[in-house]
Amino acid sequence: MRSPFGAPVLEGSLVRLEPLARGHAEDLAVAAEEDRGGYGFTPVPRAGGIEDYLEAHFARAAQGVVPFAQVRRSDGRAVGCTAYLEPRYRSGRDGLFAVEIGYTWLGASAQGTGINAEAKFLLLRHAFEVLRVARVDIKTDARNERSRRAIEALGACFEGVLRNWSISWAPGEDGLLRDSAMYSVVDSEWDGVKERLIGRLARYTVANRA
């Protein structure tokens, strides 16, 4: 699938972000079932629903969603997904000025390994240094403390809670709306966030070599 942003494969030391494709289905089905205990607020497909999940993501391309498979470099397996979404343009001007990072999940074996941090680094770097956006949004269910800690660890700025902002993915809340905690990084902050993430990722690299 060709990205409407022209995004290439994004290569890191721990993870490679590839445009999501049907060829990732088998790996993602395994990753999604490793341990589902941490997905209380996150929409993660069951193994039997991977094909429908992929088709839904492909259909979102018309809305500007650019989905990626998170491929673990150590074994070449797709261990989760992430995406650009909600592209925003200024009226009468060419080019993006803002985009969101979301639809993110990782299999249990990939959590806590630095893959999430590096994937965010790759997406942020591409957004600010190639797409030349002024702002990147990241949001999560306001109750999802684990996700909020991970976003804050990136160096993103908490901007507040937007009430009844989006659909809830929590069990038993079908059709209900959730409060969303909104975070952002803006272009003037990128150099500092980048330095912070490079330092953090260096520690993961050292740990993986030990």
Side-chain angles (χ1 to χ4, degrees):
M1 181 190 304
R2 183 176 175 82
S3 161
F5 300 163
V9 172
L10 302 178
E11 293 273 4
S13 298
L14 304 172
V15 65
R16 180 172 62 251
L17 300 183
E18 300 177 354
L20 187 64
R22 291 179 180 86
H24 295 119
E26 184 175 351
D27 284 351
L28 292 175
V30 173
E33 295 293 342
E34 287 178 343
D35 179 353
R36 298 186 61 86
Y39 298 148
F41 299 102
T42 305
V44 179
R46 301 302 306 234
I50 286 291
E51 294 295 341
D52 289 341
Y53 173 83
L54 294 179
E55 292 302 323
H57 258 324
F58 299 153
R60 294 185 181 106
Q63 303 165 11
V65 175
V66 183
F68 295 90
Q70 302 193 65
V71 178
R72 184 165 50 201
R73 292 290 303 271
S74 63
D75 59 9
R77 298 186 67 87
V79 292
C81 293
T82 191
Y84 287 129
L85 62 150
E86 300 291 345
R88 301 199 294 286
Y89 302 83
R90 284 181 284 194
S91 177
R93 300 190 184 186
D94 293 333
L96 289 166
F97 79 87
V99 71
E100 183 175 337
I101 295 171
Y103 289 123
T104 300
W105 65 272
L106 280 173
S109 65
Q111 295 172 21
T113 64
I115 285 177
N116 177 63
E118 188 173 62
K120 293 295 194 302
F121 169 75
L122 295 171
L123 291 167
L124 287 165
R125 184 176 65 181
H126 188 75
F128 286 116
E129 299 182 8
V130 178
L131 301 177
R132 311 302 295 183
V133 302
R135 172 188 171 96
V136 175
D137 301 334
I138 309 174
K139 67 176 184 290
T140 189
D141 191 306
R143 299 167 294 180
N144 192 343
E145 293 296 335
R146 179 178 179 180
S147 178
R148 293 181 66 168
R149 288 195 301 270
I151 296 169
E152 289 164 3
L154 298 172
C157 177
F158 174 58
E159 296 183 322
V161 173
L162 305 178
R163 297 178 298 166
N164 285 353
W165 184 252
S166 56
I167 295 170
S168 174
W169 299 103
E173 295 186 0
D174 292 352
L176 299 181
L177 296 173
R178 75 178 197 192
D179 294 347
S180 292
M182 178 65 77
Y183 296 81
S184 71
V185 180
V186 298
D187 51 0
S188 61
E189 299 167 342
W190 169 235
D191 286 346
V193 171
K194 179 179 180 178
E195 183 177 356
R196 175 177 179 167
L197 282 171
I198 288 173
R200 182 178 170 193
L201 291 169
R203 293 193 292 272
Y204 280 112
T205 301
V206 170
N208 288 337
R209 289 174 179 169

